[in-house]
Short mmCIF file of all heavy atoms in Angstrom, two decimals:
data_model
loop_
_atom_site.label_atom_id
_atom_site.label_comp_id
_atom_site.label_asym_id
_atom_site.label_seq_id
_atom_site.Cartn_x
_atom_site.Cartn_y
_atom_site.Cartn_z
N ASP A 190 34.15 -195.37 -58.66
CA ASP A 190 34.85 -194.83 -59.84
C ASP A 190 36.23 -194.25 -59.50
O ASP A 190 36.95 -193.80 -60.38
CB ASP A 190 33.99 -193.78 -60.54
CG ASP A 190 33.64 -192.59 -59.63
OD1 ASP A 190 34.08 -192.58 -58.45
OD2 ASP A 190 32.93 -191.67 -60.09
N GLN A 191 36.61 -194.29 -58.20
CA GLN A 191 37.94 -193.83 -57.79
C GLN A 191 38.95 -194.98 -57.70
O GLN A 191 40.16 -194.74 -57.71
CB GLN A 191 37.88 -193.15 -56.40
CG GLN A 191 37.20 -191.81 -56.34
CD GLN A 191 37.23 -191.26 -54.93
OE1 GLN A 191 36.58 -191.81 -54.03
NE2 GLN A 191 37.97 -190.19 -54.73
N VAL A 192 38.46 -196.19 -57.57
CA VAL A 192 39.32 -197.32 -57.21
C VAL A 192 40.47 -197.51 -58.18
O VAL A 192 41.65 -197.54 -57.78
CB VAL A 192 38.50 -198.61 -57.08
CG1 VAL A 192 39.43 -199.81 -56.89
CG2 VAL A 192 37.52 -198.51 -55.93
N ASN A 193 40.18 -197.63 -59.45
CA ASN A 193 41.24 -197.91 -60.43
C ASN A 193 42.26 -196.79 -60.49
O ASN A 193 43.48 -197.04 -60.61
CB ASN A 193 40.63 -198.13 -61.82
CG ASN A 193 39.88 -199.44 -61.91
OD1 ASN A 193 40.13 -200.38 -61.14
ND2 ASN A 193 38.94 -199.54 -62.85
N ASN A 194 41.79 -195.55 -60.39
CA ASN A 194 42.71 -194.41 -60.41
C ASN A 194 43.63 -194.42 -59.20
O ASN A 194 44.84 -194.15 -59.31
CB ASN A 194 41.93 -193.11 -60.48
CG ASN A 194 42.84 -191.90 -60.58
OD1 ASN A 194 43.75 -191.85 -61.40
ND2 ASN A 194 42.60 -190.90 -59.72
N LEU A 195 43.07 -194.71 -58.03
CA LEU A 195 43.89 -194.78 -56.82
C LEU A 195 44.94 -195.88 -56.92
O LEU A 195 46.10 -195.67 -56.55
CB LEU A 195 43.00 -195.00 -55.59
CG LEU A 195 42.17 -193.81 -55.11
CD1 LEU A 195 41.23 -194.24 -54.00
CD2 LEU A 195 43.08 -192.68 -54.63
N ILE A 196 44.53 -197.04 -57.38
CA ILE A 196 45.48 -198.15 -57.53
C ILE A 196 46.63 -197.74 -58.44
O ILE A 196 47.80 -198.02 -58.15
CB ILE A 196 44.75 -199.40 -58.07
CG1 ILE A 196 43.80 -199.96 -57.01
CG2 ILE A 196 45.76 -200.46 -58.51
CD1 ILE A 196 42.93 -201.09 -57.52
N GLU A 197 46.30 -197.05 -59.54
CA GLU A 197 47.33 -196.61 -60.48
C GLU A 197 48.25 -195.56 -59.87
O GLU A 197 49.47 -195.59 -60.05
CB GLU A 197 46.68 -196.05 -61.74
CG GLU A 197 47.68 -195.64 -62.80
CD GLU A 197 47.01 -195.15 -64.08
OE1 GLU A 197 45.79 -195.35 -64.23
OE2 GLU A 197 47.72 -194.55 -64.92
N GLN A 198 47.67 -194.63 -59.09
CA GLN A 198 48.49 -193.60 -58.45
C GLN A 198 49.49 -194.20 -57.46
O GLN A 198 50.66 -193.81 -57.44
CB GLN A 198 47.58 -192.60 -57.73
CG GLN A 198 46.85 -191.63 -58.63
CD GLN A 198 46.02 -190.64 -57.83
OE1 GLN A 198 44.93 -190.96 -57.37
NE2 GLN A 198 46.54 -189.45 -57.64
N PHE A 199 49.03 -195.14 -56.64
CA PHE A 199 49.93 -195.78 -55.68
C PHE A 199 50.99 -196.60 -56.40
O PHE A 199 52.15 -196.65 -55.96
CB PHE A 199 49.13 -196.66 -54.70
CG PHE A 199 48.52 -195.90 -53.57
CD1 PHE A 199 47.31 -195.23 -53.72
CD2 PHE A 199 49.14 -195.85 -52.33
CE1 PHE A 199 46.74 -194.52 -52.67
CE2 PHE A 199 48.59 -195.15 -51.27
CZ PHE A 199 47.38 -194.48 -51.44
N ALA A 200 50.63 -197.24 -57.50
CA ALA A 200 51.58 -198.07 -58.25
C ALA A 200 52.62 -197.21 -58.96
O ALA A 200 53.78 -197.63 -59.13
CB ALA A 200 50.83 -198.93 -59.27
N THR A 201 52.24 -196.00 -59.36
CA THR A 201 53.16 -195.10 -60.06
C THR A 201 54.10 -194.41 -59.09
O THR A 201 55.28 -194.19 -59.37
CB THR A 201 52.37 -194.05 -60.85
OG1 THR A 201 51.52 -194.71 -61.78
CG2 THR A 201 53.31 -193.11 -61.59
N GLY A 202 53.59 -194.07 -57.91
CA GLY A 202 54.37 -193.32 -56.92
C GLY A 202 53.70 -192.00 -56.63
O GLY A 202 53.15 -191.35 -57.53
N LEU A 203 53.72 -191.60 -55.36
CA LEU A 203 53.05 -190.38 -54.92
C LEU A 203 54.07 -189.34 -54.47
O LEU A 203 55.13 -189.67 -53.96
CB LEU A 203 52.10 -190.70 -53.77
CG LEU A 203 50.94 -191.65 -54.09
CD1 LEU A 203 50.25 -192.07 -52.81
CD2 LEU A 203 49.97 -191.00 -55.05
N GLN A 204 53.72 -188.09 -54.66
CA GLN A 204 54.56 -187.00 -54.19
C GLN A 204 54.14 -186.61 -52.78
O GLN A 204 53.04 -186.10 -52.57
CB GLN A 204 54.43 -185.79 -55.12
CG GLN A 204 55.35 -184.63 -54.76
CD GLN A 204 56.82 -185.00 -54.95
OE1 GLN A 204 57.23 -185.34 -56.05
NE2 GLN A 204 57.60 -184.93 -53.88
#
Side-chain angles (χ1 to χ4, degrees):
D190 59 1
Q191 289 181 292
V192 172
N193 289 336
N194 183 50
L195 286 173
I196 291 173
E197 183 177 348
Q198 285 182 281
F199 278 82
T201 301
L203 297 169
Q204 184 66 60

